[in-house]
Structures are given as C-alpha cells and as structure tokens.
Amino acid sequence: MNIFSNLLSQKAQPQPQPAKRQRRGIEIKSAREIEIMRQSSKIVATVLKEISELVKPGMTTADLDTYAENRIREMGATPSFKGYHGFPCSICSSINNEVVHGIPSRKKVIRVGDVLKVDTGAYYQGFHGDSCITIPVVDVTPEAARLVRVAEEALFKGIEQVKAGVHLAEVAGAIEDHVKFNGFTVVEEFTGHGVGRNLHEEPAVFNYRCRDIPNVKLRAGMTLAIEPILNAGTRFTRILSDRWTAVTVDNALSAQFEHTVLVTDTGYEILTDRSQL
C-alpha cells in the first residue's frame, strides 16, 4: 500500500494492532520475525491469487473487499489497511485511470476491458505483509496489456538488484530505466517503503532516481515493499474528493505491482510470491 508523505506525518487513526509508539529508523528483522513475516506475506499472496482467479465482469469492488477481509481473518490475521489513517476497507481497488487507494464500493462494477489494481495487507502475530497486483479483466486493449506487462517487469527489474550492500538508487534506476525504455512514465508521488511491525517503515523505496533522498545501503534482514506504479500518459496525478483515490490527470491508464521482499546476504527472497502457492 502506498500512502501520502503528509499522511505519514499526521497522527495515525486506530489500526488493527495493539497500540504502541511508532518505531523509527530501519529495522533489521531477526530470524523469528522473518518467519512470522513469511506467514503474513503468504496470507496476502494467497488472497491476491484467489482474487485474480475469481474476478469477473459484473462483480463489484465491494465484493472483492468482502472476500479479502473474510479470507484474511479465516487465516488468523487481520486486514492491515482497514482503519489505517481512516481507510475504510481491507483492500485498495483502483480501476483504469485510478492510480492508487481506490475505495471499494457497491457502485463500482468491474467491466470487460478494465485494468484493475488490487492492493492488500495482512497483520499476523505482530507483523505485516503487503502486496499489489494488476488484473487485466478479460479482453483488454493491446496497449493496456503491454502496460500491465511492463509494470510487472519493472517490479522484477527492481527486485533483481536487491542484495546486501546494494544501494536503493540501484533499485530505483533499474525500475525507471525499464519503464522509460518502454515509453511509460513512473508515478513519483507514491513510493515503496519498509514494512514489518508497522505497515509503513523506513526507508522510502523510490521508483525513480532522486538526489534528494538518502541513498540507503541494503542490509540482510531488511524487509521492503517495492511497488512501481506506471502510467500510460503523464506521470501526474490528482486526488478525488474522497481524499483517498488518486487518478491520472489525463485519464490515461495506470498499473501497479508490489511485493514484500527480504534482503539477504546473497540476494533476496520474495515473501509475497504467489507462484509458490
């Protein structure tokens, strides 16, 4: 899940976890904590895989939200997003020109040709998992299909750079280069982030080169939510009156993929890997 930087500076609303002071700085997870995160992330991966298989035209985004919340709770976790800074649902569901933070609704009917982003998180035994997929609904246009493909490729281009000793700028550069080479734009208002005890932790994980941020060196035991967002048109976005949903200013399509990733001495482990389910 992405979140606005100004929201992070505000006092948080009640969250689905025990109240405690927000930890600061980059956390290195212990072996025990990593194992718990494998479980929270597996719950997220399971829910997203199931949603990708059940989505069909005529369903509403509220249907998907209800399904996700029920499944997360059935597996012994609580939805990370519900109540987070006041967000009302268990998933973000963003369609077509909606970039991030779309609020599920009975009025939002999924249609043939839609580009549907579903982002969700699970809080299990004190730790979060976080992931997002983009689902092409039935017969999408060739350009929409290419946007979705390149968005997922960009995520893996970034993940492939992850290893202890590597700097985050290398992750950002790999993502940006792949996106630009394919003629799309990187949304800059939203970034990835550390994840663990808190849904959003340091460091910020940018998807483009930026001199104004610390170029953090990765260490084994760090857990990151890497999540590039691509637009088919301009990179610029605006926020709707619901104060959550971001949309492209030119109404062009947007796509996003996200994984929770563990940094290791030799590379990485994708904790939200759906292919292993």
Side-chain angles (χ1 to χ4, degrees):
M1 184 187 194
N2 290 276
I3 196 91
F4 311 116
S5 58
N6 65 326
L7 277 179
L8 288 174
S9 66
Q10 297 174 5
K11 183 177 179 181
Q13 299 299 317
Q15 301 180 37
Q17 60 240 48
K20 55 180 177 289
R21 292 183 64 185
Q22 176 86 9
R23 295 187 172 215
R24 298 185 181 276
I26 298 171
E27 290 195 8
I28 304 300
K29 276 67 175 185
S30 67
R32 183 190 69 84
E33 292 168 342
I34 290 168
E35 185 55 39
I36 295 173
M37 286 196 67
R38 286 192 179 101
Q39 296 305 310
S40 63
S41 297
K42 183 177 181 180
I43 291 169
V44 172
T46 299
V47 171
L48 289 179
K49 183 175 182 180
E50 291 175 359
I51 284 177
S52 70
E53 293 169 349
L54 66 85
V55 166
K56 61 182 180 180
M59 298 181 73
T60 69
T61 53
D63 293 332
L64 301 182
D65 183 65
T66 298
Y67 181 88
E69 179 169 358
N70 289 341
R71 288 293 286 132
I72 289 170
R73 295 188 186 280
E74 283 173 4
M75 288 183 276
T78 55
S80 297
F81 295 3
K82 196 166 188 178
Y84 187 73
H85 290 284
F87 190 77
C89 298
S90 297
I91 66 170
C92 297
S93 54
S94 309
I95 299 177
N96 296 334
N97 70 319
E98 294 175 343
V99 177
V100 289
H101 302 157
I103 300 174
S105 169
R106 295 286 175 200
K107 296 180 180 179
K108 284 189 176 180
V109 179
I110 299 165
R111 305 184 188 282
V112 171
D114 279 346
V115 174
L116 169 67
K117 284 78 71 181
V118 179
D119 190 354
T120 195
Y123 183 74
Y124 178 78
Q125 295 186 9
F127 290 86
H128 296 273
D130 187 9
S131 187
C132 177
I133 59 175
T134 297
I135 305 168
V137 183
V138 195
D139 297 320
V140 300
T141 66
E143 181 67 0
R146 194 170 76 87
L147 174 69
V148 174
R149 174 178 58 79
V150 172
E152 187 167 25
E153 290 172 351
L155 170 61
F156 283 100
K157 291 289 185 182
I159 291 174
E160 287 166 4
Q161 307 307 308
V162 172
K163 180 181 178 181
V166 168
H167 289 82
L168 277 177
E170 297 175 59
V171 177
I175 291 171
E176 182 180 31
D177 288 346
H178 189 68
V179 174
K180 287 187 173 180
F181 177 80
N182 284 279
F184 297 119
T185 57
V186 176
V187 173
E188 297 183 5
E189 291 93 332
F190 308 99
T191 73
H193 50 89
V195 60
R197 295 179 188 276
N198 300 289
L199 183 57
H200 292 87
E201 298 180 345
E202 295 182 17
V205 182
F206 280 63
N207 301 307
Y208 62 97
R209 294 178 180 86
C210 181
R211 295 181 180 178
D212 299 329
I213 61 169
N215 190 13
V216 173
K217 180 186 286 189
L218 299 181
R219 296 170 56 194
M222 292 172 62
T223 45
L224 309 172
I226 302 175
E227 47 181 323
I229 308 172
L230 282 59
N231 288 348
T234 177
R235 69 172 177 84
F236 296 104
T237 67
R238 63 183 179 88
I239 309 301
L240 299 183
S241 60
D242 63 16
R243 301 181 64 186
W244 279 102
T245 308
V247 300
T248 56
V249 296
D250 56 2
N251 292 318
L253 295 176
S254 186
Q256 176 191 7
F257 282 89
E258 173 188 18
H259 272 310
T260 294
V261 179
L262 168 68
V263 181
T264 70
D265 286 318
T266 57
Y268 59 87
E269 178 183 344
I270 301 175
L271 300 183
T272 49
D273 186 0
R274 298 178 302 280
S275 69
Q276 301 302 310
L277 298 175

